[in-house]
Structures are given as structure tokens and as C-alpha cells.
Amino acid sequence: MKQTFMKVHILLFMLVFILVVTACQQNKSRLDHQDMPDDSLLNKETSASDIEADDKIVIGFSMDTLAEERWLRDRELFKEAVEALGAEVKIFTSKGDDALQILHAENLINEGIDILVIVPHNAESTAMIVKKAHAAGIRVLSYDRLVRNSEIDLYVSYDNEMVGELQAKAITKLVPKGKYVYIGGAETDYNAHLLKKGVFNILQPLIDKGDITIVYDQWTKDWHPENAFTNMEEALKANHNEVDAVISANDATAGQVIQALAEQGLSGKIPVVGQDADLAAAQRIVEGSQTMTVYKPLKKLADQTAELAVKLAKGEEIEVERIINNGKSEVPSILLSPIAVDPKNIDETIITDGFHSREEVYKKNNSN
């Protein structure tokens, strides 16, 4: 009996001991929970800190080329505009290589940019970049050149069809009848097609009347000026130098067209038009070997694109007045108005704007 009592006593003691220890542990657990910050709260605080540190909008800028004067300007002006808005820009140039441009864009997307701005080399193949960016939740803005067959978020450019119309209007005033040569841009660049469409909006009625005959019409592969030189040589040879006017897709190609004419003693005798208002073109206009160019104030384009890119990155709504079909979707578009420049207004346009200085433009002419 006594042994049974002792066993019960021991069991009761052990039970009480276990209850006390358990209560202490639970109490300690509650104290520990109160003393230590909650894991989710810690994560929230860390995330907030990270967001504050990384609040700067990062824009990826994928460019086709820097081989021409205007694209060097675009790069610097866009960088300045982005940084003036408190954002950051990462710039890659693909040198006319489609595969490299796609690789660069993938790298930018993987780096976690907020928005991608792209100047496509190939308007068709670049659609792959848009798809990859969207899959990563990144919106895409097409700068100056339209990406085809994709659901691009916004397109900002000068009205390229109007550029072609300005070229054709200027040259048909000088040569209302005759044999015309058309030296286009790169066939892979949709802008080149828009330029050509604008040109033929003006030329076609005159062609239909029989006043104008297109005796040579060729694209310039990759916009390389040396290809334009070859094309113009072929045009002159095929027509025994009997050409009355030349429309060239831009100033770089126009320069080589004029070089080909010069080798035949025809520079300054046959009107040649271009676009971009390159310094060399402005000098040629002053000296008389190029008839006109089309000025597209690049600062205005860069500033507006930078502003819109930041808004897109923040998820803000953008109102547009133009919609352009790119073969797959209706693309919200903002198209700025270009300006025709000839010897009569060169001072009040590109020189007054500071695009080129008077000394630069007239230097070559004054040295003669």
C-alpha cells in the first residue's frame, strides 16, 4: 500500500513538473515572438527600402546603328532627355546585325529594365523582341522606325510619309517632266517603305499623265551609302547619263549619289533631294550640288520619346491622335511634322535651331 502511494506521488510530481516546464516554454515562445521582428514585416521593410533605392526608372535603348551622323545625335539627345527626367538609360547598338540586336534586347530584358525603346534594324524580325519583352511584363516603344507584325505599345517618329511627299513636291517644282531615279532606303526598314509611299503619292499622278518616267528604282541595302553609289552608277549607265532628277531616301545616300554624278561631270546639273539635314547635306545645299533636305528636329523627337517612355514605365495612360496598322495590331502613334529645307530657308531652320552652326554650314562654301 505504501509503495503504491509513493508511485502515485511520483507520477503526480512528474505531471506537475511537465506542466510547469511546458508553460514556461510557451511563455518564452510568446516573449520571443514579441521581442523579435516578424519575418513578413522584416521582408516588407526590406522591400520598401529596396524600392526606394531602386525607384529610378531604367530604360533600355536598343539601336540599329551609329554609322550615320543623325543616329549619333539621337543617342546623345535621348540620353540627355532621359537623365533630365531623373531616369537611367542603358544603350546598345547592333551595327545592323539582326541577331545581335535580339541578343542585346534579351540582355536588357534580363537585367530588369522598366521599358524597352527600340530602333529596329529589321522591322520584321524585331517583332520577336517585342514578344520577349511582353512575356517579361515590359512594354516596348518603337523609336523613329516602326516594328512590324507585333503588338508594339507606342510608336514615336516624324511623319515619314510626309517626308517623302516633301521631297517629291520640292523636286517636281524644279523638274515637272523628265526621267527620274529613285534611290530608296533599306528594304528591311519599314520607314523606307513609308518614305517611298509618300514620294509616289506625289509622283504617281505625273507618271500616269506621262510627264514623269521612273527609269531606275532600287533599294539601298542596309542603308549603306556605298550601295547607293553603286545603284546610281548603274542608273547612269543604264540610261546613258540621261537622267533629269534623283530622289534619295536620306542624306547619306544622297551624298554618294552626288559623288556618282560628279564622276560623270553631272554634279549640280541634276537635282538631288535627301532627308535628315546632315551637316554634309547642308553644305551641299549651300554649294548647289544638293537641292534640298528634310529637317526632323531630333531634340524634339528625343525629348518627347523620353517623356513618353517614362510615363509608359510608370503605367500611365497616353493619349494619341494617330493609329497605324503594323500588320498585326493598331499601334498608338505620335507623328511629328518634318520641315523641308532648301537654300532659301536653311538659315531660319537648322541654323537658327542650332542644329548646325552657320560657320559649319558655310565653311565649305567659304573656302572655295
Side-chain angles (χ1 to χ4, degrees), residues 271-343:
V272 178
V273 300
Q275 68 139 333
D276 284 340
D278 287 351
L279 176 59
Q283 293 172 337
R284 290 193 297 266
I285 288 171
V286 168
E287 71 181 16
S289 60
Q290 184 167 327
T291 305
M292 61 86 74
T293 186
V294 180
Y295 173 43
K296 301 177 295 186
L298 298 183
K299 181 170 172 38
K300 185 176 181 180
L301 176 63
D303 287 351
Q304 187 148 7
T305 303
E307 182 180 343
L308 292 167
V310 169
K311 285 184 177 181
L312 278 178
K314 291 180 178 179
E316 297 180 17
E317 292 296 322
I318 295 173
E319 295 183 2
V320 301
E321 296 181 356
R322 298 283 295 273
I323 299 292
I324 294 179
N325 188 291
N326 73 345
K328 183 175 183 179
S329 64
E330 300 296 324
V331 182
S333 304
I334 294 176
L335 303 182
L336 308 177
S337 297
I339 303 165
V341 174
D342 59 25

Side-chain angles (χ1 to χ4, degrees), residues 159-218:
D159 190 328
N160 291 289
E161 195 170 324
M162 186 186 292
V163 170
E165 290 175 351
L166 291 175
Q167 289 179 316
K169 285 177 181 178
I171 206 161
T172 52
K173 283 183 181 179
L174 294 173
V175 186
K177 296 181 180 182
K179 296 179 179 180
Y180 273 57
V181 168
Y182 184 73
I183 304 295
E187 190 173 9
T188 55
D189 180 358
Y190 188 58
N191 275 16
H193 293 266
L194 293 173
L195 292 169
K196 187 173 184 178
K197 182 182 178 184
V199 166
F200 281 85
N201 285 346
I202 304 302
L203 295 188
Q204 197 59 53
L206 298 172
I207 293 170
D208 294 342
K209 285 172 60 177
D211 291 344
I212 289 175
T213 303
I214 305 298
V215 296
Y216 187 88
D217 180 351
Q218 187 59 262

